[in-house]
Amino acid sequence: MRRALLLLAPALLLAAPVTTAVAATGIATPAKTPVAVGTGGGVASESVEATQAGISVLKNGGNAIDAAVATAATLGATEPSVAGPGGGGFMVIYLAKTKQLVTIDGREMCPARCTPELFVDPKTGAPLDFELARHSGISVGVPGMVAQWAKAVRLYGTKSFGSDLQPAIRVATDGFPVSVNFHQSEVSTLTDLQSFSSSRKLLLTPDGQPLPVGAHFVNPDLARTYQLLAQHGPGYLYTGPLAQAIARTVQSPPVTPDATITVLPGMMTTKDLSNYVARNRRPTHVTYRGLDVYGMAPPSSGGTTMGEALNILSGWPLGAEPRSQALFHYLESTRLAFADRNAYVGDPDYVPVPTQGLLDKQFAATRRCLVHGTALTSPVAPGSPYPPFAGCSTTNRKPTTPREGMQTNHLVTSDRWGNVVSYTNTIEQLFGSGITVPGYGFLLNNEMTDFDFAPPAPGGHDPNLPAPGKRPRSSMSPTIVLRGGTPWLALGSPGGSTIITTTLQTLINRVDFGMTMPQAIAAPRASQRNGAATDVEPAFAAQPYANVLTRTYGENLSVIGPPSFDPPVIGFVNALEFLGGGRVQAATEPARLGGGSAMVVNPNASGPGR
Ligand code: GLU
């Protein structure tokens, strides 16, 4: 079946503010709202249909875990460029009944035939070009998302996996209008989408062009896939007909005859798929200004890197400092934490990751003491996260600066019982590998390119090289913050390695600078990741403190761009804040990439939302 295209007047739609769109079925889609306050639980995500899916599950007796799965599955329909069953992710969950923090690692894994030279050109011995690696079968990891969803629902949900997929089936069937963001994503990856017959058929117009803004997009193939998963369970993807279809697609990507790109076949087998397990991992934990901050442990570097930066920052009274000085400290804390992340974090099932040392306050002290009145010169060397911790720590290990993708999605959910989910998931780059599984309506990830490409020089050590069954290091940072032992905040962001800095910056905006959560999300962003320059949004560069950061503190600020999205942005935060008395504030981006969608089960407008 092909999608139906109902073309509306694109120019008109581009000019008009987004209010209420009516799909071909006559079903009204509510407008996007960036903030909602009320009771009964809340949801914030990138798309209005996905947020609504979570809310409908909550209204029908599902809990926050059911709502998270429903929201994520619906994002697979509405945001195929950054979500869907072909990807993976990390979920941090607060369980109200037992007051426990648990996590599920649904990260993709490398097939059994992976080697450390996966991304090395056998002819030249040089690392492959990133784009060549990306739109190829070799970049595709065994998808973890569906196993993660099923595990989350089985262990912690109140409904069934099948019932949690129902809203997504409806959205994929009924469709929705193509947004500016959806259209721009297609424009920026057009060559890839044109190069695979299955992606072309699913995502482009009959003459192979991006879907115009306002076109009505439906995905009956995805609806059928979800229906089959609902009926047969996750085994349909890992051991059933869909496993065969995925392995076949990876080994022999459906390249169009007129494709101009080189596509390397991958080596995933059905055995790789049947071997996949979503894992429970102990969350990371640090205390910060009396709060308990929980995050995702390796193979994500989110929890350890944010945790180390928070430990470094806790030695300075950020809230009492002039804003420029506080921001200088913020930038230096992540410069140092990224040096350690790159040196030490990988899949803990394959390399010994010093998680405890990285999160030790005394280790942070050995890093903090390197910071004086001016910006350090990057790349700074990693420290030594092994006790005893003394003095100012650097090692002579060579710093590494890995490359990562720039898109994914983060969502948050809560329920009337007090459960909370903070969930980041992705297919890596925009539209992942660019390869749609023919007839199934979703794209395969390119997550294996999160591994480092080139083996280190002799005597060197790299925790993030490919290996059979290994999971690549991630930056995803789903975070839950407790105050006085109960949930206060849940937040996270997309954005490759900027995920870590965006989540951290939003947190200090709220905790140290006294902004409300909506203000903390909207504030201009800067990201220092042990690079020579600090990436900043244009709005950050326009602030008075930017000048002081440059002149007084020697920070080298670099305005991001040229934009594939206009204006260029760093991150896209979705967050919840618990206001007491069962009230929750759901908050999302008011403007970046067209804004997100925040809703609560029982809205009430009262209260400032602080
Ligand atoms: N692949 C990235 C990671 O796991 C996320 C992709 C992105 O945000 O663009 O850290």
Side-chain angles (χ1 to χ4, degrees):
M1 275 187 284
R2 284 188 66 99
R3 62 170 183 275
L5 272 181
L6 171 68
L7 301 185
L8 304 176
L12 194 79
L13 280 158
L14 270 167
V18 182
T19 49
T20 299
V22 179
T25 52
I27 300 165
T29 307
K32 279 185 164 179
T33 9
V35 185
V37 179
T39 58
V43 181
S45 83
E46 281 189 23
S47 101
V48 73
E49 293 85 358
T51 296
Q52 214 174 19
I55 292 291
S56 73
V57 164
L58 293 174
K59 283 188 173 162
N60 289 327
N63 69 7
I65 293 89
D66 297 299
V69 169
T71 305
T74 306
L75 283 160
T78 61
E79 318 287 319
S81 62
V82 299
F90 294 100
M91 195 184 282
V92 177
I93 305 169
Y94 175 80
L95 297 169
K97 207 166 169 188
T98 54
K99 297 186 186 311
Q100 256 182 315
L101 265 297
V102 294
T103 80
I104 306 177
D105 162 1
R107 184 69 160 169
E108 298 89 334
M109 97 182 171
C110 220
R113 284 175 54 203
C114 266
T115 69
E117 289 80 32
L118 180 66
F119 295 117
V120 175
D121 185 334
K123 288 197 203 98
T124 63
L128 292 180
D129 169 69
F130 181 81
E131 284 303 309
L132 170 64
R134 181 176 73 77
H135 52 230
S136 288
I138 57 169
S139 74
V140 183
V142 179
M145 199 94 83
V146 168
Q148 183 187 41
W149 293 348
K151 185 164 192 160
V153 175
R154 181 167 51 82
L155 294 182
Y156 313 116
T158 52
K159 307 288 260 190
S160 69
F161 176 61
S163 76
D164 289 341
L165 293 179
Q166 295 309 312
I169 293 171
R170 274 195 297 279
V171 171
T173 306
D174 294 347
F176 54 89
V178 167
S179 66
V180 174
N181 191 32
F182 192 118
H183 171 79
Q184 282 189 325
S185 303
E186 292 200 343
V187 170
S188 66
T189 47
L190 189 57
T191 308
D192 288 333
L193 299 180
Q194 287 172 336
S195 299
F196 298 102
S197 52
S198 49
S199 300
R200 198 175 170 131
K201 186 171 166 202
L202 176 69
L203 292 160
L204 301 180
T205 62
D207 60 346
Q209 293 308 306
L211 298 177
V213 176
H216 187 74
F217 180 74
V218 295
N219 190 342
D221 287 350
L222 182 65
R224 194 175 58 97
T225 300
Y226 281 154
Q227 244 146 13
L228 289 164
L229 285 168
Q231 199 178 333
H232 302 290
Y236 183 76
L237 188 147
Y238 291 99
T239 54
L242 183 47
Q244 285 162 25
I246 291 173
R248 198 168 46 237
T249 307
V250 171
Q251 289 174 23
S252 181
V255 184
T256 54
D258 57 351
T260 52
I261 58 172
T262 303
V263 177
L264 303 171
M267 62 294 218
M268 189 187 298
T269 62
T270 50
K271 187 140 193 292
D272 290 317
L273 283 137
S274 66
N275 280 340
Y276 187 84
V277 178
R279 297 196 188 288
N280 280 112
R281 301 208 186 258
R282 182 200 285 263
T284 61
H285 171 239
V286 294
T287 54
Y288 182 70
R289 317 245 191 252
L291 305 166
D292 288 289
V293 181
Y294 290 91
M296 194 64 223
S300 183
S301 61
T304 54
T305 314
M306 257 186 80
E308 181 184 340
L310 286 168
N311 282 340
I312 294 172
L313 289 173
S314 63
W316 292 303
L318 294 197
E321 294 174 348
R323 187 58 53 86
S324 52
Q325 186 183 16
L327 287 170
F328 163 66
H329 284 145
Y330 155 65
L331 296 178
E332 295 309 297
S333 75
T334 57
R335 188 192 301 279
L336 290 161
F338 264 81
D340 299 320
R341 162 204 190 265
N342 297 345
Y344 298 110
V345 182
D347 183 341
D349 296 335
Y350 286 73
V351 289
V353 183
T355 301
Q356 222 184 323
L358 290 168
L359 294 173
D360 195 300
K361 289 208 186 296
Q362 286 180 309
F363 171 59
T366 71
R367 305 297 275 154
R368 188 188 312 114
C369 73
L370 293 164
V371 180
H372 302 292
T374 51
L376 294 165
T377 304
S378 279
V380 296
S384 175
Y386 303 97
F389 304 108
C392 275
S393 160
T394 54
T395 66
N396 53 12
R397 285 174 70 147
K398 217 173 145 304
T400 53
T401 39
R403 134 160 225 173
E404 277 172 293
M406 285 305 289
Q407 282 297 324
T408 176
N409 80 85
H410 180 77
L411 64 95
V412 282
T413 61
S414 69
D415 62 33
R416 69 182 104 145
W417 300 284
N419 302 298
V420 184
V421 177
S422 190
Y423 182 23
T424 316
N425 63 76
T426 187
I427 57 173
E428 221 296 282
Q429 296 270 302
L430 274 183
F431 293 107
S433 61
I435 309 170
T436 298
V437 185
Y440 286 92
F442 68 91
L443 288 112
L444 291 169
N445 68 84
N446 68 302
E447 215 73 54
M448 299 304 96
T449 60
D450 273 2
F451 281 119
D452 293 339
F453 277 30
H461 164 80
D462 185 339
N464 191 35
L465 285 175
K470 193 174 175 183
R471 301 175 188 211
R473 176 176 59 216
S474 168
S475 298
M476 290 188 261
S477 308
T479 303
I480 293 181
V481 180
L482 307 192
R483 189 171 62 180
T486 56
W488 179 43
L489 306 173
L491 71 162
S493 173
S497 52
T498 67
I499 290 172
I500 295 168
T501 57
T502 294
T503 310
L504 176 67
Q505 193 179 358
T506 308
L507 189 57
I508 63 171
N509 283 346
R510 178 71 191 91
V511 173
D512 293 290
F513 302 156
M515 297 182 197
T516 62
M517 185 49 92
Q519 289 165 345
I521 292 173
R525 294 190 182 128
S527 179
Q528 168 50 245
R529 307 184 306 284
N530 199 19
T534 294
D535 294 328
V536 301
E537 290 181 328
F540 188 96
Q543 301 295 318
Y545 51 64
N547 238 334
V548 187
L549 281 169
T550 310
R551 296 224 181 129
T552 308
Y553 292 105
E555 296 287 355
N556 176 15
L557 306 186
S558 164
V559 179
I560 53 168
S564 54
F565 293 93
D566 191 20
V569 299
I570 298 175
F572 191 106
V573 171
N574 284 305
L576 296 175
E577 178 166 337
F578 302 94
L579 308 170
R583 292 172 71 234
V584 59
Q585 177 187 58
T588 180
E589 298 285 350
R592 289 182 181 90
L593 303 179
S597 167
M599 295 185 201
V600 292
V601 172
N602 307 307
N604 67 59
S606 64
R610 283 288 305 263

